[in-house]
Amino acid sequence: MNTTDQYRSKTVQDADVVLIGGGIMSATLGSMLAVLEPSWRIVLLEKGDEPATESSGPWNNAGTGHSGYCELNYMPNPEDGTKAATIAQQFHTSREWWSYLARHGLIDPTAFIHSTPHMDVVFGSRDVEYLRRRHATLVNDPLFADLDYSEDRSTIAQWAPLVMAGRTDDEEIAATRHSQGTDVDFGALTRQLTGLINARGGTALYGHDVRALDRAEAGGWIVSGNGPGRARFSINAKHVFVGAGGFALRLLQRAKLPEVRGYAVLPVGAAFYRCSASDVVAQHEAKIYGQAAIGAPPMSVPHLDKRVVNGEGHLLFGPYATFSTKLLKRGKLTDFFTTLRWPNLHVIVAAGLQNLSLVRYLITELAASPHKKFAQLQRFYPEAKFSEWELILAGQRAQLVKPDRRKIGVLQQGTELVTSADNTMSGLLGASPGASTAVPIMLDLLRRCFPDSWGDAWHSVLSEAIPSITRETWDAATVSATTDCTEKALGL
């Protein structure tokens, strides 16, 4: 609900917490604070005219509920499942929070999460051997005990009919499958969480472009900018969270936060082929990830995904790299250049020189014709018809580049939570798998920025809502109990 009009006439508002950005991160933090502190004044500011218009939107991401089941880039070493297990634990934590809200009637899970098996399919002896070793490692962890493996073509055909139909070669092939994977419409989830903020006394203001973040004399921050009709607004906030996606670094720089000195971002775009033909969609009920091509960056792993958006099924395949100097899909070509500062110029250059393979990959992708791109899809789906698919632009990301004493600058995968020394400002930088791990990220924020409330005041609510926050190990019984509980509450 857009409640902008009632605030247009007021110059200054007071808030306990201001959330900048209307995506999944701000909505997750806002929903937690709305439950934990219903008397707090929470204000969400979004530049667009509705929530989830950027990376959280359903067509701006692949909708994978990242659980480590199929993301091969989490395990370059097939004997080391540490990162895959960490991601799996974090997604369980996110599901626990959603389940708590669903049990209390605060969100409707049928609108945003759907059971969708997660698979890997690889080709050739080298990748088959890799997948075999990866599976042998993971099944020893209770988090992955139900991960199936097969090199039998008839079994793989049952799991993924489109992948095997019309495949006449005799190349080695192998697959893994986990039946408890999910497809998540993070846009629909974001809208529900934002509605919860409003229902609990908070306010979501759209068409509000934050232009400045200044220290308040009495403590906290003054958040100011342009509202609808370019009317100026100003809000005094005790705490500010910057969850503005690609614009987050620029806003933290404007706040003169020393914690981000030397930090930089590189714009990363993507496109997907989408198919909405019902007869094709009906034959595919999985998210299938493959292995990145030799020399390609880990983030480029191809995947053929079942998506459910607004109750309708679709298929997506990609990603295909795109390039723009925008930091948001609806941004400007000058976006990237506004983040450049003297302390981060050498950091960007150093990171670029260390990732020349990424540059070569990007050039190759940009030069590829539509039919050459489509041939990559036909590697997974041999009988795919060009006429049934359309190429769509996905979201624009801002890949984090950090200063490093030894390497000068490094390109960082994933996300990073930044907090000010006095805990009055926080911000999230980076990209995937952020949305799937939003809840554990925000739990970390609550611990660090609200230490006085984190103890007894919030413990009883959080321990009921998210039992994993007190969990030290994930044994078989724990995994089974958590899965059963969340699947029941989420209707999976």
Side-chain angles (χ1 to χ4, degrees):
M1 179 179 66
N2 191 328
T3 56
T4 298
D5 292 342
Q6 63 179 307
Y7 293 100
R8 285 180 177 173
S9 62
K10 298 182 180 181
T11 304
V12 177
Q13 298 291 321
D14 292 327
D16 292 289
V17 177
V18 165
L19 311 169
I20 302 176
I24 186 63
M25 293 300 173
S26 291
T28 298
L29 177 58
S31 70
M32 299 176 98
L33 290 173
V35 170
L36 293 169
E37 294 289 351
S39 65
W40 284 12
R41 177 121 194 265
I42 302 168
V43 177
L44 184 150
L45 303 174
E46 164 57 35
K47 184 178 180 180
D49 55 5
E50 60 180 344
T53 58
E54 289 289 337
S55 295
S56 301
W59 300 122
N60 293 334
N61 60 77
T64 302
H66 288 291
S67 303
Y69 300 148
C70 59
E71 301 89 343
L72 300 182
N73 54 313
Y74 295 163
M75 280 185 70
N77 177 359
E79 269 77 45
D80 184 3
T82 305
K83 183 172 182 179
T86 298
I87 296 297
Q89 293 168 11
Q90 291 176 332
F91 189 58
H92 270 294
T93 299
S94 290
R95 285 172 47 143
E96 285 181 319
W97 176 245
W98 304 339
S99 299
Y100 172 82
L101 297 179
R103 289 196 302 272
H104 287 77
L106 300 174
I107 60 173
D108 175 14
T110 63
F112 70 85
I113 189 167
H114 303 88
S115 179
T116 309
H118 285 189
M119 290 183 59
D120 286 310
V121 173
V122 299
F123 309 94
S125 58
R126 181 180 68 91
D127 287 341
V128 168
E129 175 61 20
Y130 162 83
L131 192 64
R132 186 186 300 125
R133 292 163 60 195
R134 178 182 187 270
H135 175 262
T137 298
L138 289 180
V139 291
N140 291 315
D141 186 324
L143 289 160
F144 303 95
D146 295 327
L147 184 66
D148 295 321
Y149 176 87
S150 181
E151 297 178 23
D152 178 68
R153 286 182 169 237
S154 61
T155 299
I156 298 172
Q158 292 175 9
W159 292 348
L162 295 185
V163 172
M164 299 307 295
R167 190 172 296 279
T168 58
D169 59 71
D170 58 359
E171 185 177 24
E172 287 188 62
I173 185 171
T176 57
R177 180 181 185 271
H178 202 298
S179 62
Q180 294 169 352
T182 54
D183 173 71
V184 183
D185 181 344
F186 288 105
L189 174 59
T190 298
R191 289 189 291 273
Q192 291 202 38
L193 296 178
T194 304
L196 170 58
I197 296 170
N198 283 324
R200 290 296 181 100
T203 305
L205 300 177
Y206 302 105
H208 279 62
D209 182 16
V210 175
R211 308 294 296 176
L213 295 165
D214 300 300
R215 290 278 187 181
E217 291 184 4
W221 296 86
I222 300 174
V223 183
S224 58
N226 298 325
R230 297 193 64 79
R232 294 288 296 172
F233 71 86
S234 182
I235 302 174
N236 293 326
K238 297 177 182 177
H239 184 91
V240 175
F241 170 67
V242 182
F247 277 4
L249 178 62
R250 188 167 74 175
L251 289 172
L252 294 170
Q253 289 172 331
R254 287 180 178 177
K256 298 180 174 58
L257 213 66
E259 286 80 5
V260 298
R261 179 179 174 81
Y263 279 43
V265 291
L266 289 174
V268 177
F272 287 89
Y273 270 111
R274 179 176 65 189
C275 174
S276 302
S278 58
D279 58 328
V280 177
V281 175
Q283 299 177 63
H284 188 75
E285 295 291 339
K287 289 181 175 293
I288 300 181
Y289 277 56
Q291 187 71 283
I294 296 175
M299 67 188 74
S300 67
V301 289
H303 40 101
L304 178 61
D305 296 315
K306 174 68 176 289
R307 294 299 324 273
V308 178
V309 178
N310 296 326
E312 299 291 331
H314 308 267
L315 302 185
L316 282 187
F317 179 83
Y320 299 97
T322 63
F323 179 74
S324 172
T325 52
K326 295 180 180 180
L327 293 175
L328 293 176
K329 192 174 182 178
R330 300 185 182 186
K332 299 179 180 179
L333 293 175
T334 55
D335 288 348
F336 166 69
F337 303 102
T338 64
T339 67
L340 299 180
R341 304 286 190 275
W342 285 114
N344 68 15
L345 290 178
H346 65 294
V347 174
I348 293 177
V349 171
L353 292 175
Q354 295 167 56
N355 290 274
L356 293 178
S357 62
L358 178 59
V359 176
R360 288 192 293 268
Y361 167 78
L362 178 60
I363 293 173
T364 302
E365 285 281 286
L366 295 176
S369 67
H371 283 278
K372 188 173 182 179
K373 287 184 170 73
F374 198 74
Q376 298 177 41
L377 165 57
Q378 290 176 317
R379 176 70 161 157
F380 280 76
Y381 173 19
E383 295 184 343
K385 299 176 182 178
F386 188 76
S387 61
E388 294 180 326
W389 296 75
E390 61 175 327
L391 192 65
I392 62 170
L393 285 178
Q396 191 75 3
R397 306 289 193 269
Q399 199 74 33
L400 180 59
V401 182
K402 290 181 59 177
D404 184 88
R405 289 184 179 181
R406 187 168 59 89
K407 296 183 177 181
I408 302 177
V410 294
L411 192 65
Q412 178 169 305
Q413 305 299 321
T415 56
E416 178 169 329
L417 177 65
V418 176
T419 60
S420 64
D422 63 357
N423 297 326
T424 59
M425 179 171 286
S426 56
L428 194 71
L429 301 172
S432 180
S436 296
T437 60
V439 172
I441 290 171
M442 293 307 140
L443 286 172
D444 186 27
L445 186 154
L446 293 176
R447 288 189 190 98
R448 291 162 62 177
C449 295
F450 302 95
D452 293 338
S453 299
W454 178 256
D456 294 338
W458 291 352
H459 181 75
S460 60
V461 175
L462 289 174
S463 59
E464 176 194 352
I466 311 172
S468 62
I469 64 172
T470 59
R471 189 171 296 137
E472 295 183 0
T473 60
W474 288 76
D475 57 22
T478 296
V479 173
S480 177
T482 301
T483 301
D484 291 345
C485 178
T486 59
E487 285 189 345
K488 181 178 179 180
L490 297 175
L492 298 175

